[in-house]
Amino acid sequence: MSDTKEPTLPQSSAAPGADLNRRDFLGQVTIGALGIAGLGSVAVTYQFFSPNVLFEPATQFRAGTPDLYPIHSVTYLQDQQVYIVRMPEGFYAVSAVCTHLGCVTQWKEEAQMIACPCHGSKFKPDGIKIEGPAPRPLPHFGISLTADGELLVDKLQGVKNTQALRV
Amino acid sequence: MATNIAALLETLRETKVWKSIFRRGPANSNRTRSIAVFGNLFLHWMPVKVREKALQVRASYYLGSISLFLFLVLLVTGILLMFYYHPAAPSAYRDMKDLQFVVSNGVFLRNLHRLAAHLMVFMVFAHMFHVFYRGGYKPPHEFNWVVGVVLLLVTLFLSYTGYLLPWDQLAFWAVTVGTNIISAMPVIGDKIKFLLLGGHIVGENALLRFYVLHVVILPLAAFVLIGIHFWRVQKDGGLTVKPKDSDGK
């Protein structure tokens, strides 16, 4: 019966690697060294392909003084791809990039909705999804006032869509 | 006249230059023909003997050959287009327009490249369907079927990377949408998108990366894989032969 067979124990009497001759040892060292060098090359190639400096639009920007935006208005800032939305409760900074596949949406004044030209997603001015393939509402960015009274939007800071800036 | 040419050939065969290049006599027996195939860089990896059935011409036989022909057309027209195209943001679109309206025969070359690319995608798919429905993926052709699938993917990536190069609105949004699809991949999606674009948006880095992929890396991959693909067709005993066909029909 194979299941009653004693498991073969490692030969503890011999020193580890005693049966390794010089040729095998050097062979294993070579393979190990080549392996380490190979992994290192993959790592440095990965680093090489990840740019350290990007010439992309700034993620933090000033959007002028609050009185530029009338109440119940949606203003599209083209360079930053952000809507500055002013409602009676305050200011929102809503991303203009569709959450479906990254197309830039448009504010339709007459229909009072944000619409995506690529695949027909529709959103309310506060970014809530009305319909379409978009899986999520448009994200809101952090918006604050600078010391000299200008709006400051930070695209790296996501905030809840109920959080408005009161001015 | 014919005897003159034969005599001329005979004289040429006697010259030192001819002998230094070919190092063999005329290929007029099975043995000398084998030596001719073995001694030629472009033929030595082909089998010395091929079954006659493998070379029979059928209507669908051409789908793979047409794909290869279109690849060669794309290679030639693509290299010619490279002489006028700068893969940088301010000039890429202008160069494309220059090719259309300023460069002599530029619009012909550009459209030939574009149409051949569309056609190649269609032909590669048609070739794949034909091989699939004829059972060409069955032993001993499994490995070559896998090479073919990789070649299909390389063709699609070539198409996709070439699509960005005109640097117009269509190109920009197609690549924006395409790379967003990549970023939907769990865990590594955003990283792959970042590496592919060389940034977070479709910008100058993305244009240059797609250009290098389009003109160097992917064509080289396609070239090597096409070589393996054609070699395996012969080594696996020629094109797919149905058992029904093999009994002397």
Side-chain angles (χ1 to χ4, degrees):
Chain A
M1 293 287 278
S2 60
D3 54 342
T4 56
K5 204 188 276 180
E6 292 265 327
T8 48
L9 291 166
Q11 305 255 309
S12 52
S13 56
D19 56 339
L20 193 67
N21 61 30
R22 184 181 305 186
R23 180 172 297 230
D24 288 346
F25 170 73
L26 287 175
Q28 285 176 18
V29 166
T30 309
I31 288 170
L34 285 177
I36 291 167
L39 284 179
S41 331
V42 170
V44 293
T45 309
Y46 174 78
Q47 284 178 326
F48 175 78
F49 279 112
S50 307
N52 295 320
V53 181
L54 293 173
F55 300 91
E56 292 178 352
T59 52
Q60 210 180 48
F61 62 93
R62 284 162 177 261
T65 51
D67 54 314
L68 288 170
Y69 305 95
I71 293 174
H72 286 293
S73 75
V74 175
T75 311
Y76 175 51
L77 304 180
Q78 185 167 9
D79 289 345
Q80 281 80 22
Q81 300 183 341
V82 166
Y83 296 110
I84 302 294
V85 181
R86 186 170 193 183
M87 289 292 147
E89 66 268 26
F91 280 92
Y92 301 105
V94 180
S95 167
V97 179
C98 185
T99 52
H100 178 221
L101 288 171
C103 292
V104 172
T105 56
Q106 286 168 355
W107 166 243
K108 300 288 180 191
E109 181 81 56
E110 66 284 355
Q112 288 290 301
M113 63 167 72
I114 296 167
C116 181
C118 285
H119 308 102
S121 296
K122 295 189 182 84
F123 306 89
K124 288 183 197 166
D126 57 357
I128 302 289
K129 188 177 85 178
I130 301 172
E131 64 166 70
R136 292 180 304 278
L138 297 173
H140 285 222
F141 297 132
I143 185 166
S144 55
L145 272 184
T146 58
D148 51 354
E150 278 197 70
L151 293 169
L152 183 74
V153 178
D154 184 358
K155 291 172 80 175
L156 290 183
Q157 186 201 348
V159 297
K160 276 188 278 185
N161 59 9
T162 48
Q163 193 178 323
L165 171 75
R166 291 178 186 283
V167 179
Chain B
M1 186 66 196
T3 49
N4 280 349
I5 291 171
L8 185 68
L9 210 60
E10 211 50 53
T11 326
L12 270 176
R13 282 216 172 91
E14 294 305 314
T15 60
K16 207 170 177 185
V17 174
W18 182 284
K19 279 181 174 170
S20 75
I21 295 170
F22 292 102
R23 295 165 64 187
R24 60 171 174 81
N28 48 15
S29 70
N30 273 351
R31 185 176 171 277
T32 46
R33 279 189 208 111
S34 303
I35 290 170
V37 170
F38 285 137
N40 185 310
L41 171 70
F42 303 101
L43 295 178
H44 83 272
W45 44 271
M46 299 300 268
V48 175
K49 283 188 178 177
V50 177
R51 282 195 287 167
E52 211 181 325
K53 196 178 277 292
L55 296 176
Q56 261 175 14
V57 173
R58 297 189 182 87
S60 49
Y61 173 78
Y62 291 118
L63 290 171
S65 309
I66 290 172
S67 303
L68 172 73
F69 175 72
L70 288 169
F71 180 74
L72 296 178
V73 168
L74 287 164
L75 217 58
V76 172
T77 53
I79 288 170
L80 291 173
L81 291 175
M82 279 169 74
F83 281 97
Y84 276 102
Y85 179 83
H86 303 78
S91 47
Y93 180 76
R94 285 204 305 256
D95 292 344
M96 186 266 293
K97 285 290 165 199
D98 269 6
L99 277 163
Q100 276 187 301
F101 297 110
V102 181
V103 178
S104 303
N105 307 321
V107 67
F108 173 75
L109 279 175
R110 180 173 129 74
N111 285 346
L112 193 61
H113 193 76
R114 199 171 58 85
L115 291 173
H118 292 322
L119 211 57
M120 184 175 164
V121 171
F122 178 80
M123 282 298 166
V124 167
F125 266 108
H127 175 54
M128 187 200 74
F129 282 125
H130 166 243
V131 170
F132 182 78
Y133 288 126
R134 261 189 87 82
Y137 54 87
K138 289 175 186 164
H141 303 280
E142 320 96 298
F143 177 74
N144 220 14
W145 167 260
V146 174
V147 173
V149 171
V150 178
L151 271 171
L152 170 71
L153 293 177
V154 170
T155 308
L156 292 179
F157 282 133
L158 272 167
S159 237
Y160 182 61
T161 49
Y163 205 65
L164 180 65
L165 302 186
W167 203 238
D168 51 10
Q169 284 291 317
L170 202 62
F172 181 86
W173 292 109
V175 172
T176 300
V177 165
T179 48
N180 268 303
I181 292 173
I182 293 170
S183 74
M185 218 187 299
V187 189
I188 52 168
D190 278 324
K191 210 75 224 168
I192 292 179
K193 181 192 169 192
F194 182 74
L195 287 180
L196 202 57
L197 293 182
H200 300 101
I201 53 167
V202 179
E204 290 224 274
N205 286 354
L207 179 59
L208 191 56
R209 279 176 192 215
F210 273 53
Y211 177 75
V212 174
L213 282 172
H214 186 76
V215 304
V216 181
I217 296 171
L218 291 171
L220 265 180
F223 191 80
V224 171
L225 287 167
I226 289 171
I228 296 170
H229 201 61
F230 275 67
W231 174 73
R232 274 309 277 249
V233 167
Q234 303 296 343
K235 291 283 175 180
D236 291 343
L239 300 169
T240 325
V241 179
K242 274 185 178 171
K244 198 171 64 182
D245 293 357
S246 58
D247 45 36
K249 195 187 145 226

